[in-house]
Structures are given as C-alpha cells and as structure tokens.
Amino acid sequence: MLLGSGGREDALAWRLRQSPSCGRLVAAPGNPGIERWAECVDIDPANPEAVVALAQKEQVELVVIGPEAPLTAGVADALRAHGIAVFGPSAAAAQLEGSKGFTKDLCTSHNIPTAAYVRTETAADAREALDGFALPVVIKADGLAAGKGVTIAMTRAEAEEAIAAAGDTALVIEEFLEGEEASLFVLADGGHTLVLASAQDHKRVGDGDTGPNTGGMGAYSPAPILTPELEERAMAEIVRPTALAMAASGMPFNGILYAGLMLTRDGPKLIEYNVRFGDPECEAIMPRIAGDFAETLALVAAGRMDEIGTIDLEPASTMTVIVAAKGYPGTPSKGGSISGLDEAEEDGAIVFQAGTTEQDGRLVASGGRVLAVTAAGETLRDARDAVYAAIAKIDFADGFHRGDIGWRELERLQQ
Ligand code: AMP
Ligand code: GLY
C-alpha cells in the first residue's frame, strides 16, 4: 500500500507495480495517474487509525509512505504498533524534517557541517540575532513549510521584514552558504545506510533560477557535480553520523533520508534533511532503478538492509520537468483541461500526474504542480531533448513550465 497523491507517489506506484514481488498495489488516496497502477481508496493518509484500518482490511504486507504529513502525524508508528511493515520513519525520527532547530542542534552536537545558526523564539530575539550575521542572511520558519518558509535576505531591512512577517514564532537564522546544491537520497534502516541516487532540483519558479521558491520545478538524476569523492564525504561527515546519532538517541531512522547539500569551497554542508523522497526528484530517480524495488523497500522496512547488496541504476541520465498551473506558486488556476498525454508517452517518456482530477470524463488540473514529465537518455542532453519533445505534445493551455531544467549541468557539458 502506498500513501499519498502527488507526482512523487505516481512515480513510486509505477516503480512498485513493476516489481516482481508486488502482487497487488493499493494507493490511498492516489490520483488519476496512480489509478493506472493501483487500486485507489479515498482515505486521509495522515489519519493513523484510518490507515491502520485500511492496511488490515486489505491485508497489505508493506506500507510505503510518500509525503511528510503522515510521517509527522505518526502514521508509521501506528502501523508498526500493529505489526504492519512500513517504509518510513517514526514521528520522532521525522523531526529531522519537521523541526529545522532539531536538526541544527543535532549537527552541532555531532560536528556535522552545516551553516552557522541561531534559534530564536520571539521577533525581538530574532532581530537581535541578526547582528551576528553578515549579509545575505537566511531566515527560516522552524516547522514544516512546504519549501516556502525560507527567506534569503539581501539587506538588513529585508531580514527585519521577514522577521516581522513571521511574528513571535520559532525561527532559525543562519549563515548564507555559497555553492551549488545537490540532493542525496539514502536508504536507512536504523544502523545501516545505502546511497540510492543523487539528483538536482530547481526550486525557483522561473528560468535562470529567478522568482519565488516552489516545491520544485524540475530535476535530473544523477547530479554529476556530486562526484563519488564528494558523495563519500557527505556520507562520512553528514549522513552516517546522523543515522548513528538518531539510533543512539532511541529514534532510529527507517526510510529514505534526503540530504539537501550545499557543495561549498570547504566541502559538502547540510542545508536540510527531508524524511521522504523529493518531489520532483523521485520522478527522475524511479526510472533509473532496476530490479525488485518493492523487495528493496521491504528489506529496509524489516531492518534487513544488509541483504540488499547493491542497487542497480539505469539508464545513464533522466530528467523531469514539472508542468504547473498558471499562478503557481501563488494561487494556481484550477480546472484547466489536459490532453495529449498518450501522445507524449509515445517515444518512451512518462507523464506522472501530480495535481490532476477527473471531471465529466476529462482530465483537468487540480493543483499547483500538475504533471511531472520524465524521460531518460544516454546523456543529460538526450534526456532533456526527449522530455521537452514530450511536453510539446501535451495540450494544457492553462499550464506553464521552465524551459531550462538542467541548465547548470548542460552548461558545464558544453565547456
Ligand atoms: P530549505 O527549506 O531549508 O531547503 O531551504 C530552501 C532553499 O533555500 C534551499 O534549497 C536553498 O536554495 C536555500 N537555502 C536554505 N538555506 C540556505 C543557506 N544557509 N545558504 C544558502 N541558501 C540556503
Ligand atoms: N523538491 C524538493 C522537495 O521535495 O522538498
């Protein structure tokens, strides 16, 4: 059983359904895209009792949790308490994403490289803390904010404005890190960790990384900038110490740990953790995974990761481009009709569905990020050409997408 209803879950469902060990897939609540691979049941995935009841009724052997809300709500704990195998961390371990302050303090006590920071509780404290930082300075809400709770203030006035807008609430004020970002996705079952894949997201809404932050407008995998040496450094200095610290404090992390890294002049530093797959990074990663992925996740859930061996990744490169509804990340326009998806998939691309619904037998937009169009190739350039060729076949007048996903890496390839 898979929990969630976005593009990430469509990609997970697609991958799980192709796993030889997956006989049947139930999705809760799912979406019209996921319905191609799973039986969708409309329950609230963040309601522990409802999820346990459905898992028992359907006699599921493994629950895979897609989004963060069920995790912070304790859905994994409830399932484990009923003896149901689950891929996803406990509410306590999900604090790695749910509380930026928790993660920053863990970094301090275990010498994990991250931006220097101060935690504050009131606006007055926060204003005072600004004195200790150069500009630009980064101001973050402590809790979950769907990637939108971060301000990078270029001036003191902007910083004070962000603090005033937040009011008397828990904030983390931190040093601005310079470098390029990369994401590392690591399977963890408490003690063991195993790299699944790297990716790079594009968080700004506009071409050239301009405009407001979004949940992510496109991604590619792997992220070659995270070289094998840097990846091993990130594992040794950041991810493994985190997994060991969590286990030692009685909060073993089970699931996928997503490390958002800044590759600085001094090496990789942790920007943030997420306790679930990234969206749209997951859509880019799933087509690269060979073998029985459901079996892999079942071994993680069982704490038997040492039996996984290696994870085979193919093909060479994948890219996902998000098609969003006009207005996103503000108020997206709803109800725009979508067609041409079969044509878009004719040459091997896959159109995962993120914010769609069916209305009178037609597919229409129902969210900010609507489609996650994904293609693979020998090189990143091939993947890029294939994904944009697929998008050109989609008829969605109310949508828009970035035209430059992968630009930093594509520029490097030109050099
Ligand atoms: P977060 O929600 O912590 O991932 O922050 C969202 C985005 O803000 C990150 O993906 C970065 O692009 C940027 N960001 C966050 N913290 C920093 C930092 N300390 N220095 C530079 N950029 C940051
Ligand atoms: N794409 C960023 C995230 O899932 O948080």
Side-chain angles (χ1 to χ4, degrees), residues 215-236:
M217 294 298 291
Y220 60 90
S221 178
I225 191 173
L226 192 65
T227 60
E229 295 72 32
L230 286 175
E231 181 181 297
E232 178 43 34
R233 234 183 119 176
M235 288 300 291

mmCIF file with all atom_site columns, all heavy atoms in Angstrom, residues 215-236:
data_model
loop_
_atom_site.group_PDB
_atom_site.id
_atom_site.type_symbol
_atom_site.label_atom_id
_atom_site.label_alt_id
_atom_site.label_comp_id
_atom_site.label_asym_id
_atom_site.label_entity_id
_atom_site.label_seq_id
_atom_site.pdbx_PDB_ins_code
_atom_site.Cartn_x
_atom_site.Cartn_y
_atom_site.Cartn_z
_atom_site.occupancy
_atom_site.B_iso_or_equiv
_atom_site.pdbx_formal_charge
_atom_site.auth_seq_id
_atom_site.auth_comp_id
_atom_site.auth_asym_id
_atom_site.auth_atom_id
_atom_site.pdbx_PDB_model_num
ATOM 1   N N   . GLY A 1 215 ? 7.857  24.147 -4.693  1.00 0.00 ? 215 GLY A N   1
ATOM 2   C CA  . GLY A 1 215 ? 8.201  22.803 -4.228  1.00 0.00 ? 215 GLY A CA  1
ATOM 3   C C   . GLY A 1 215 ? 9.257  22.155 -5.117  1.00 0.00 ? 215 GLY A C   1
ATOM 4   O O   . GLY A 1 215 ? 9.871  21.162 -4.734  1.00 0.00 ? 215 GLY A O   1
ATOM 5   N N   . GLY A 1 216 ? 9.489  22.715 -6.297  1.00 0.00 ? 216 GLY A N   1
ATOM 6   C CA  . GLY A 1 216 ? 10.457 22.151 -7.249  1.00 0.00 ? 216 GLY A CA  1
ATOM 7   C C   . GLY A 1 216 ? 9.846  22.115 -8.637  1.00 0.00 ? 216 GLY A C   1
ATOM 8   O O   . GLY A 1 216 ? 8.739  21.626 -8.808  1.00 0.00 ? 216 GLY A O   1
ATOM 9   N N   . MET A 1 217 ? 10.550 22.676 -9.636  1.00 0.00 ? 217 MET A N   1
ATOM 10  C CA  . MET A 1 217 ? 10.020 22.804 -10.993 1.00 0.00 ? 217 MET A CA  1
ATOM 11  C C   . MET A 1 217 ? 10.634 21.815 -11.975 1.00 0.00 ? 217 MET A C   1
ATOM 12  O O   . MET A 1 217 ? 10.247 21.782 -13.142 1.00 0.00 ? 217 MET A O   1
ATOM 13  C CB  . MET A 1 217 ? 10.261 24.227 -11.512 1.00 0.00 ? 217 MET A CB  1
ATOM 14  C CG  . MET A 1 217 ? 9.484  25.300 -10.770 1.00 0.00 ? 217 MET A CG  1
ATOM 15  S SD  . MET A 1 217 ? 7.684  25.109 -10.889 1.00 0.00 ? 217 MET A SD  1
ATOM 16  C CE  . MET A 1 217 ? 7.416  25.477 -12.628 1.00 0.00 ? 217 MET A CE  1
ATOM 17  N N   . GLY A 1 218 ? 11.616 21.038 -11.502 1.00 0.00 ? 218 GLY A N   1
ATOM 18  C CA  . GLY A 1 218 ? 12.223 20.080 -12.409 1.00 0.00 ? 218 GLY A CA  1
ATOM 19  C C   . GLY A 1 218 ? 13.464 19.511 -11.763 1.00 0.00 ? 218 GLY A C   1
ATOM 20  O O   . GLY A 1 218 ? 14.018 20.127 -10.840 1.00 0.00 ? 218 GLY A O   1
ATOM 21  N N   . ALA A 1 219 ? 13.883 18.352 -12.217 1.00 0.00 ? 219 ALA A N   1
ATOM 22  C CA  . ALA A 1 219 ? 15.048 17.708 -11.601 1.00 0.00 ? 219 ALA A CA  1
ATOM 23  C C   . ALA A 1 219 ? 15.703 16.798 -12.614 1.00 0.00 ? 219 ALA A C   1
ATOM 24  O O   . ALA A 1 219 ? 15.086 16.410 -13.609 1.00 0.00 ? 219 ALA A O   1
ATOM 25  C CB  . ALA A 1 219 ? 14.618 16.891 -10.381 1.00 0.00 ? 219 ALA A CB  1
ATOM 26  N N   . TYR A 1 220 ? 16.964 16.497 -12.335 1.00 0.00 ? 220 TYR A N   1
ATOM 27  C CA  . TYR A 1 220 ? 17.622 15.465 -13.135 1.00 0.00 ? 220 TYR A CA  1
ATOM 28  C C   . TYR A 1 220 ? 18.436 14.586 -12.204 1.00 0.00 ? 220 TYR A C   1
ATOM 29  O O   . TYR A 1 220 ? 18.782 14.971 -11.085 1.00 0.00 ? 220 TYR A O   1
ATOM 30  C CB  . TYR A 1 220 ? 18.480 16.076 -14.248 1.00 0.00 ? 220 TYR A CB  1
ATOM 31  C CG  . TYR A 1 220 ? 19.582 16.976 -13.758 1.00 0.00 ? 220 TYR A CG  1
ATOM 32  C CD1 . TYR A 1 220 ? 20.847 16.467 -13.467 1.00 0.00 ? 220 TYR A CD1 1
ATOM 33  C CD2 . TYR A 1 220 ? 19.356 18.329 -13.578 1.00 0.00 ? 220 TYR A CD2 1
ATOM 34  C CE1 . TYR A 1 220 ? 21.858 17.285 -13.006 1.00 0.00 ? 220 TYR A CE1 1
ATOM 35  C CE2 . TYR A 1 220 ? 20.364 19.161 -13.118 1.00 0.00 ? 220 TYR A CE2 1
ATOM 36  C CZ  . TYR A 1 220 ? 21.610 18.631 -12.832 1.00 0.00 ? 220 TYR A CZ  1
ATOM 37  O OH  . TYR A 1 220 ? 22.606 19.448 -12.365 1.00 0.00 ? 220 TYR A OH  1
ATOM 38  N N   . SER A 1 221 ? 18.705 13.376 -12.669 1.00 0.00 ? 221 SER A N   1
ATOM 39  C CA  . SER A 1 221 ? 19.469 12.410 -11.877 1.00 0.00 ? 221 SER A CA  1
ATOM 40  C C   . SER A 1 221 ? 20.327 11.583 -12.829 1.00 0.00 ? 221 SER A C   1
ATOM 41  O O   . SER A 1 221 ? 19.855 11.229 -13.915 1.00 0.00 ? 221 SER A O   1
ATOM 42  C CB  . SER A 1 221 ? 18.501 11.496 -11.119 1.00 0.00 ? 221 SER A CB  1
ATOM 43  O OG  . SER A 1 221 ? 19.214 10.518 -10.376 1.00 0.00 ? 221 SER A OG  1
ATOM 44  N N   . PRO A 1 222 ? 21.584 11.308 -12.483 1.00 0.00 ? 222 PRO A N   1
ATOM 45  C CA  . PRO A 1 222 ? 22.258 11.747 -11.262 1.00 0.00 ? 222 PRO A CA  1
ATOM 46  C C   . PRO A 1 222 ? 22.683 13.206 -11.361 1.00 0.00 ? 222 PRO A C   1
ATOM 47  O O   . PRO A 1 222 ? 22.512 13.831 -12.407 1.00 0.00 ? 222 PRO A O   1
ATOM 48  C CB  . PRO A 1 222 ? 23.504 10.844 -11.241 1.00 0.00 ? 222 PRO A CB  1
ATOM 49  C CG  . PRO A 1 222 ? 23.824 10.594 -12.673 1.00 0.00 ? 222 PRO A CG  1
ATOM 50  C CD  . PRO A 1 222 ? 22.491 10.532 -13.366 1.00 0.00 ? 222 PRO A CD  1
ATOM 51  N N   . ALA A 1 223 ? 23.234 13.735 -10.262 1.00 0.00 ? 223 ALA A N   1
ATOM 52  C CA  . ALA A 1 223 ? 23.823 15.075 -10.250 1.00 0.00 ? 223 ALA A CA  1
ATOM 53  C C   . ALA A 1 223 ? 25.336 14.882 -10.295 1.00 0.00 ? 223 ALA A C   1
ATOM 54  O O   . ALA A 1 223 ? 25.960 14.623 -9.270  1.00 0.00 ? 223 ALA A O   1
ATOM 55  C CB  . ALA A 1 223 ? 23.417 15.817 -8.982  1.00 0.00 ? 223 ALA A CB  1
ATOM 56  N N   . PRO A 1 224 ? 25.938 14.980 -11.491 1.00 0.00 ? 224 PRO A N   1
ATOM 57  C CA  . PRO A 1 224 ? 27.370 14.669 -11.616 1.00 0.00 ? 224 PRO A CA  1
ATOM 58  C C   . PRO A 1 224 ? 28.253 15.579 -10.772 1.00 0.00 ? 224 PRO A C   1
ATOM 59  O O   . PRO A 1 224 ? 29.382 15.205 -10.445 1.00 0.00 ? 224 PRO A O   1
ATOM 60  C CB  . PRO A 1 224 ? 27.663 14.879 -13.104 1.00 0.00 ? 224 PRO A CB  1
ATOM 61  C CG  . PRO A 1 224 ? 26.343 14.859 -13.776 1.00 0.00 ? 224 PRO A CG  1
ATOM 62  C CD  . PRO A 1 224 ? 25.337 15.324 -12.787 1.00 0.00 ? 224 PRO A CD  1
ATOM 63  N N   . ILE A 1 225 ? 27.736 16.763 -10.399 1.00 0.00 ? 225 ILE A N   1
ATOM 64  C CA  . ILE A 1 225 ? 28.539 17.663 -9.569  1.00 0.00 ? 225 ILE A CA  1
ATOM 65  C C   . ILE A 1 225 ? 28.847 17.022 -8.219  1.00 0.00 ? 225 ILE A C   1
ATOM 66  O O   . ILE A 1 225 ? 29.852 17.324 -7.586  1.00 0.00 ? 225 ILE A O   1
ATOM 67  C CB  . ILE A 1 225 ? 27.835 19.026 -9.405  1.00 0.00 ? 225 ILE A CB  1
ATOM 68  C CG1 . ILE A 1 225 ? 28.779 20.036 -8.787  1.00 0.00 ? 225 ILE A CG1 1
ATOM 69  C CG2 . ILE A 1 225 ? 26.554 18.906 -8.614  1.00 0.00 ? 225 ILE A CG2 1
ATOM 70  C CD1 . ILE A 1 225 ? 28.252 21.426 -8.728  1.00 0.00 ? 225 ILE A CD1 1
ATOM 71  N N   . LEU A 1 226 ? 27.966 16.127 -7.784  1.00 0.00 ? 226 LEU A N   1
ATOM 72  C CA  . LEU A 1 226 ? 28.239 15.360 -6.571  1.00 0.00 ? 226 LEU A CA  1
ATOM 73  C C   . LEU A 1 226 ? 29.071 14.151 -7.000  1.00 0.00 ? 226 LEU A C   1
ATOM 74  O O   . LEU A 1 226 ? 28.556 13.064 -7.240  1.00 0.00 ? 226 LEU A O   1
ATOM 75  C CB  . LEU A 1 226 ? 26.927 14.934 -5.911  1.00 0.00 ? 226 LEU A CB  1
ATOM 76  C CG  . LEU A 1 226 ? 27.027 14.382 -4.495  1.00 0.00 ? 226 LEU A CG  1
ATOM 77  C CD1 . LEU A 1 226 ? 27.505 15.451 -3.518  1.00 0.00 ? 226 LEU A CD1 1
ATOM 78  C CD2 . LEU A 1 226 ? 25.684 13.850 -4.019  1.00 0.00 ? 226 LEU A CD2 1
ATOM 79  N N   . THR A 1 227 ? 30.369 14.367 -7.110  1.00 0.00 ? 227 THR A N   1
ATOM 80  C CA  . THR A 1 227 ? 31.286 13.317 -7.576  1.00 0.00 ? 227 THR A CA  1
ATOM 81  C C   . THR A 1 227 ? 31.332 12.187 -6.558  1.00 0.00 ? 227 THR A C   1
ATOM 82  O O   . THR A 1 227 ? 30.929 12.371 -5.405  1.00 0.00 ? 227 THR A O   1
ATOM 83  C CB  . THR A 1 227 ? 32.706 13.895 -7.703  1.00 0.00 ? 227 THR A CB  1
ATOM 84  O OG1 . THR A 1 227 ? 33.092 14.375 -6.400  1.00 0.00 ? 227 THR A OG1 1
ATOM 85  C CG2 . THR A 1 227 ? 32.770 15.035 -8.705  1.00 0.00 ? 227 THR A CG2 1
ATOM 86  N N   . PRO A 1 228 ? 31.840 11.018 -6.943  1.00 0.00 ? 228 PRO A N   1
ATOM 87  C CA  . PRO A 1 228 ? 31.952 9.917  -5.972  1.00 0.00 ? 228 PRO A CA  1
ATOM 88  C C   . PRO A 1 228 ? 32.708 10.339 -4.711  1.00 0.00 ? 228 PRO A C   1
ATOM 89  O O   . PRO A 1 228 ? 32.333 9.932  -3.608  1.00 0.00 ? 228 PRO A O   1
ATOM 90  C CB  . PRO A 1 228 ? 32.708 8.837  -6.749  1.00 0.00 ? 228 PRO A CB  1
ATOM 91  C CG  . PRO A 1 228 ? 32.377 9.103  -8.184  1.00 0.00 ? 228 PRO A CG  1
ATOM 92  C CD  . PRO A 1 228 ? 32.216 10.597 -8.297  1.00 0.00 ? 228 PRO A CD  1
ATOM 93  N N   . GLU A 1 229 ? 33.739 11.186 -4.860  1.00 0.00 ? 229 GLU A N   1
ATOM 94  C CA  . GLU A 1 229 ? 34.512 11.638 -3.690  1.00 0.00 ? 229 GLU A CA  1
ATOM 95  C C   . GLU A 1 229 ? 33.642 12.506 -2.779  1.00 0.00 ? 229 GLU A C   1
ATOM 96  O O   . GLU A 1 229 ? 33.643 12.321 -1.562  1.00 0.00 ? 229 GLU A O   1
ATOM 97  C CB  . GLU A 1 229 ? 35.748 12.448 -4.118  1.00 0.00 ? 229 GLU A CB  1
ATOM 98  C CG  . GLU A 1 229 ? 36.805 11.661 -4.897  1.00 0.00 ? 229 GLU A CG  1
ATOM 99  C CD  . GLU A 1 229 ? 36.377 11.296 -6.326  1.00 0.00 ? 229 GLU A CD  1
ATOM 100 O OE1 . GLU A 1 229 ? 35.615 12.073 -6.960  1.00 0.00 ? 229 GLU A OE1 1
ATOM 101 O OE2 . GLU A 1 229 ? 36.783 10.227 -6.820  1.00 0.00 ? 229 GLU A OE2 1
ATOM 102 N N   . LEU A 1 230 ? 32.916 13.450 -3.390  1.00 0.00 ? 230 LEU A N   1
ATOM 103 C CA  . LEU A 1 230 ? 32.070 14.338 -2.574  1.00 0.00 ? 230 LEU A CA  1
ATOM 104 C C   . LEU A 1 230 ? 30.928 13.548 -1.937  1.00 0.00 ? 230 LEU A C   1
ATOM 105 O O   . LEU A 1 230 ? 30.534 13.798 -0.802  1.00 0.00 ? 230 LEU A O   1
ATOM 106 C CB  . LEU A 1 230 ? 31.518 15.482 -3.416  1.00 0.00 ? 230 LEU A CB  1
ATOM 107 C CG  . LEU A 1 230 ? 32.526 16.575 -3.779  1.00 0.00 ? 230 LEU A CG  1
ATOM 108 C CD1 . LEU A 1 230 ? 31.891 17.598 -4.730  1.00 0.00 ? 230 LEU A CD1 1
ATOM 109 C CD2 . LEU A 1 230 ? 33.043 17.273 -2.513  1.00 0.00 ? 230 LEU A CD2 1
ATOM 110 N N   . GLU A 1 231 ? 30.408 12.571 -2.693  1.00 0.00 ? 231 GLU A N   1
ATOM 111 C CA  . GLU A 1 231 ? 29.317 11.753 -2.157  1.00 0.00 ? 231 GLU A CA  1
ATOM 112 C C   . GLU A 1 231 ? 29.798 10.979 -0.924  1.00 0.00 ? 231 GLU A C   1
ATOM 113 O O   . GLU A 1 231 ? 29.117 10.935 0.107   1.00 0.00 ? 231 GLU A O   1
ATOM 114 C CB  . GLU A 1 231 ? 28.809 10.790 -3.232  1.00 0.00 ? 231 GLU A CB  1
ATOM 115 C CG  . GLU A 1 231 ? 27.664 9.919  -2.766  1.00 0.00 ? 231 GLU A CG  1
ATOM 116 C CD  . GLU A 1 231 ? 27.198 8.968  -3.855  1.00 0.00 ? 231 GLU A CD  1
ATOM 117 O OE1 . GLU A 1 231 ? 26.724 9.449  -4.903  1.00 0.00 ? 231 GLU A OE1 1
ATOM 118 O OE2 . GLU A 1 231 ? 27.326 7.743  -3.658  1.00 0.00 ? 231 GLU A OE2 1
ATOM 119 N N   . GLU A 1 232 ? 30.984 10.408 -1.015  1.00 0.00 ? 232 GLU A N   1
ATOM 120 C CA  . GLU A 1 232 ? 31.505 9.659  0.120   1.00 0.00 ? 232 GLU A CA  1
ATOM 121 C C   . GLU A 1 232 ? 31.781 10.585 1.310   1.00 0.00 ? 232 GLU A C   1
ATOM 122 O O   . GLU A 1 232 ? 31.545 10.233 2.454   1.00 0.00 ? 232 GLU A O   1
ATOM 123 C CB  . GLU A 1 232 ? 32.765 8.869  -0.276  1.00 0.00 ? 232 GLU A CB  1
ATOM 124 C CG  . GLU A 1 232 ? 33.427 8.084  0.863   1.00 0.00 ? 232 GLU A CG  1
ATOM 125 C CD  . GLU A 1 232 ? 32.458 7.314  1.789   1.00 0.00 ? 232 GLU A CD  1
ATOM 126 O OE1 . GLU A 1 232 ? 31.406 6.817  1.321   1.00 0.00 ? 232 GLU A OE1 1
ATOM 127 O OE2 . GLU A 1 232 ? 32.758 7.221  3.012   1.00 0.00 ? 232 GLU A OE2 1
ATOM 128 N N   . ARG A 1 233 ? 32.241 11.810 1.005   1.00 0.00 ? 233 ARG A N   1
ATOM 129 C CA  . ARG A 1 233 ? 32.454 12.777 2.081   1.00 0.00 ? 233 ARG A CA  1
ATOM 130 C C   . ARG A 1 233 ? 31.133 13.120 2.763   1.00 0.00 ? 233 ARG A C   1
ATOM 131 O O   . ARG A 1 233 ? 31.054 13.196 3.995   1.00 0.00 ? 233 ARG A O   1
ATOM 132 C CB  . ARG A 1 233 ? 33.074 14.050 1.488   1.00 0.00 ? 233 ARG A CB  1
ATOM 133 C CG  . ARG A 1 233 ? 34.355 14.423 2.195   1.00 0.00 ? 233 ARG A CG  1
ATOM 134 C CD  . ARG A 1 233 ? 34.919 15.700 1.668   1.00 0.00 ? 233 ARG A CD  1
ATOM 135 N NE  . ARG A 1 233 ? 34.973 16.685 2.751   1.00 0.00 ? 233 ARG A NE  1
ATOM 136 C CZ  . ARG A 1 233 ? 35.501 17.890 2.622   1.00 0.00 ? 233 ARG A CZ  1
ATOM 137 N NH1 . ARG A 1 233 ? 36.002 18.271 1.452   1.00 0.00 ? 233 ARG A NH1 1
ATOM 138 N NH2 . ARG A 1 233 ? 35.524 18.710 3.643   1.00 0.00 ? 233 ARG A NH2 1
ATOM 139 N N   . ALA A 1 234 ? 30.099 13.330 1.954   1.00 0.00 ? 234 ALA A N   1
ATOM 140 C CA  . ALA A 1 234 ? 28.782 13.659 2.523   1.00 0.00 ? 234 ALA A CA  1
ATOM 141 C C   . ALA A 1 234 ? 28.269 12.496 3.378   1.00 0.00 ? 234 ALA A C   1
ATOM 142 O O   . ALA A 1 234 ? 27.671 12.704 4.438   1.00 0.00 ? 234 ALA A O   1
ATOM 143 C CB  . ALA A 1 234 ? 27.792 13.991 1.410   1.00 0.00 ? 234 ALA A CB  1
ATOM 144 N N   . MET A 1 235 ? 28.510 11.265 2.918   1.00 0.00 ? 235 MET A N   1
ATOM 145 C CA  . MET A 1 235 ? 28.078 10.097 3.701   1.00 0.00 ? 235 MET A CA  1
ATOM 146 C C   . MET A 1 235 ? 28.863 10.022 5.012   1.00 0.00 ? 235 MET A C   1
ATOM 147 O O   . MET A 1 235 ? 28.297 9.801  6.077   1.00 0.00 ? 235 MET A O   1
ATOM 148 C CB  . MET A 1 235 ? 28.271 8.808  2.893   1.00 0.00 ? 235 MET A CB  1
ATOM 149 C CG  . MET A 1 235 ? 27.288 8.628  1.753   1.00 0.00 ? 235 MET A CG  1
ATOM 150 S SD  . MET A 1 235 ? 25.568 8.589  2.288   1.00 0.00 ? 235 MET A SD  1
ATOM 151 C CE  . MET A 1 235 ? 25.512 7.011  3.158   1.00 0.00 ? 235 MET A CE  1
ATOM 152 N N   . ALA A 1 236 ? 30.184 10.212 4.923   1.00 0.00 ? 236 ALA A N   1
ATOM 153 C CA  . ALA A 1 236 ? 31.036 10.043 6.100   1.00 0.00 ? 236 ALA A CA  1
ATOM 154 C C   . ALA A 1 236 ? 30.857 11.172 7.111   1.00 0.00 ? 236 ALA A C   1
ATOM 155 O O   . ALA A 1 236 ? 30.874 10.938 8.321   1.00 0.00 ? 236 ALA A O   1
ATOM 156 C CB  . ALA A 1 236 ? 32.504 9.962  5.662   1.00 0.00 ? 236 ALA A CB  1
#
